[in-house]
Amino acid sequence: MDVRSSSLLTVATSDEDYVAGVCGASEVTTAAALVAATTALVRSRGAVYDAYEAAEDIADAPVLEGRHSFYRYHFSRPTYCNQCREFIYGIGKQAYLCNGCNYVCHEKCLQTVIKRCRPSYGAATTPHFWVEGNLSVCGESGSCCAACHKDCGSYSALTDYRCSWCLKTAHSTNCKNAINQNCDFGVRKQYILPPSVLCVKGEGDVVVKANPVLPAGNIPLAVFINKRSGGQQGKAVIATLRNLLNPRQVFDLSKGGPEPGLRFMQALPAFQVLACGGDGTVGWVLETIRKTGLRPHAVSVIPLGTGNDLARALGWGGGYSGEDLAGILAQVASGRVSLLDRWYLNVAPLDLVTRTLAPYKQVNVINNYFSIGGHSAP
């Protein structure tokens, strides 16, 4: 088994497009027309409501296609509602955040949302998916405009844009138009699942296209997360990774285990696996890979369990304590590949008369790794 170790270790793309598509209008140009279209949508069969689902907890936020997956969120810095553009006040979890594209919304504004979430599948090229405002200001992990290289971000207004795929930032229309409209996924292009290789089949199921062609150097990750591992840390990890990657490549192990995700990825010419959990979770994923007969490029680990001995031996550390997941994904892409022996111990009683073994009573799987030092398990 190859594992990766580390030395450290037709969806609308704008508000106007969606309003025009739903209302049947050819053009929506004025603020009055936009308000009228929004009102018509609210009064119609719940067309606006269908643009999102809202949950109180991140663990309940579903994966949706073109629809926002909102959950209540605590904003620790000045933040504005993307719908009404007003400042968000309050303490605790003041408003809703989309798990797919970082669109922010007051609870009172949810049913008037018309901007769709970024699509997880699409045509041969993927356009930038711009979300306005709520950027970090420069000097505080902020960004500069990809076109003019000047500072982006402001705490005094909802201004400037960030692509939720590649994280490039840009000023208003002139700067956005100066950037190549086809998104290259930035630093994520090595491990993201491109929407271009996915399509809808049958009754709305999203699947990998027949004979998909991946961009050069792209080996998508299949991410498996045990949400209950590590004191419920998995809940936050699954939300962040769905935001950083294509949500279609992030799988919740509580929903059918690893096999559905592996089967989903098997049509790709190559893919790699990221197992997020303890030693039991990693072993579960490795054993399912063996049973399915698939050969992922490598298996990496984010240690969310309590022991995490295998993660230690591979150089991923003894636990996860809120480190930057974007940085961990970069380590996954650059980590060296090691070989891991897995042994199978079959336990069966011996018939003393016939001197033959009875049918197996127990089969144990042993991941053969060695670690020495103060961190080693007794």
Side-chain angles (χ1 to χ4, degrees), residues 213-254:
V213 178
L214 294 172
N218 175 245
I219 305 179
L221 274 173
V223 183
F224 298 97
I225 301 179
N226 184 345
K227 291 194 300 187
R228 293 184 289 272
S229 290
Q232 307 295 313
Q233 286 186 104
K235 292 181 179 180
V237 171
I238 196 170
T240 303
L241 290 178
R242 281 176 175 167
N243 183 265
L244 290 172
L245 303 169
N246 188 328
R248 296 288 175 185
Q249 68 189 111
V250 182
F251 304 97
D252 180 357
L253 287 173
S254 67

Side-chain angles (χ1 to χ4, degrees), residues 62-326:
V63 176
L64 307 168
E65 183 51 50
R67 299 163 64 201
H68 293 290
S69 179
F70 286 117
Y71 65 99
R72 281 196 177 274
Y73 188 79
H74 169 67
F75 297 94
S76 58
R77 68 185 185 191
T79 305
Y80 294 81
C81 175
N82 283 108
Q83 183 63 16
C84 70
R85 307 183 69 84
E86 293 180 1
F87 187 79
I88 292 176
Y89 296 93
I91 59 176
K93 296 180 178 180
Q94 314 100 312
Y96 285 85
L97 177 69
C98 177
N99 190 25
C101 68
N102 288 333
Y103 194 89
V104 178
C105 192
H106 286 115
E107 183 174 7
K108 67 180 182 180
C109 298
L110 283 175
Q111 293 200 29
T112 61
V113 172
I114 55 176
K115 181 179 177 68
R116 304 292 278 178
C117 191
R118 63 179 182 175
S120 63
Y121 67 91
T125 59
T126 302
H128 290 289
F129 191 89
W130 300 107
V131 177
E132 187 178 11
N134 297 320
L135 309 181
S136 298
V137 298
C138 283
E140 297 180 15
S141 302
S143 298
C144 295
C145 178
C148 69
H149 307 294
K150 295 181 179 179
D151 292 353
C152 281
S154 171
Y155 286 155
S156 61
L158 190 71
T159 183
D160 303 331
Y161 295 83
R162 182 189 298 276
C163 173
S164 61
W165 283 119
C166 66
L167 301 185
K168 287 179 180 176
T169 54
H171 294 115
S172 58
T173 306
N174 290 338
C175 286
K176 283 199 303 178
N177 291 342
I179 299 172
N180 189 323
Q181 296 304 299
N182 294 327
C183 183
D184 62 0
F185 305 109
V187 296
R188 310 177 191 182
K189 60 186 176 184
Q190 291 178 276
Y191 44 77
I192 201 167
L193 180 63
S196 60
V197 303
L198 302 179
C199 64
V200 176
K201 183 179 180 181
E203 298 181 358
D205 294 330
V206 177
V207 298
V208 177
K209 294 178 181 178
N211 303 313
V213 178
L214 294 172
N218 175 245
I219 305 179
L221 274 173
V223 183
F224 298 97
I225 301 179
N226 184 345
K227 291 194 300 187
R228 293 184 289 272
S229 290
Q232 307 295 313
Q233 286 186 104
K235 292 181 179 180
V237 171
I238 196 170
T240 303
L241 290 178
R242 281 176 175 167
N243 183 265
L244 290 172
L245 303 169
N246 188 328
R248 296 288 175 185
Q249 68 189 111
V250 182
F251 304 97
D252 180 357
L253 287 173
S254 67
K255 299 178 179 179
E259 186 167 353
L262 291 170
R263 295 297 185 192
F264 179 83
M265 303 290 283
Q266 69 180 355
L268 295 170
F271 71 95
Q272 50 190 325
V273 168
L274 176 61
C276 306
D279 289 343
T281 299
V282 178
W284 184 16
V285 172
L286 292 177
E287 181 62 10
T288 306
I289 291 173
R290 183 194 68 84
K291 289 180 178 179
T292 57
L294 300 176
R295 293 286 297 177
H297 176 70
V299 179
S300 303
V301 180
I302 293 181
L304 299 182
T306 52
N308 302 313
D309 295 324
L310 177 57
R312 284 192 183 96
L314 293 173
W316 292 107
Y320 174 76
S321 54
E323 293 85 355
D324 178 30
L325 287 170

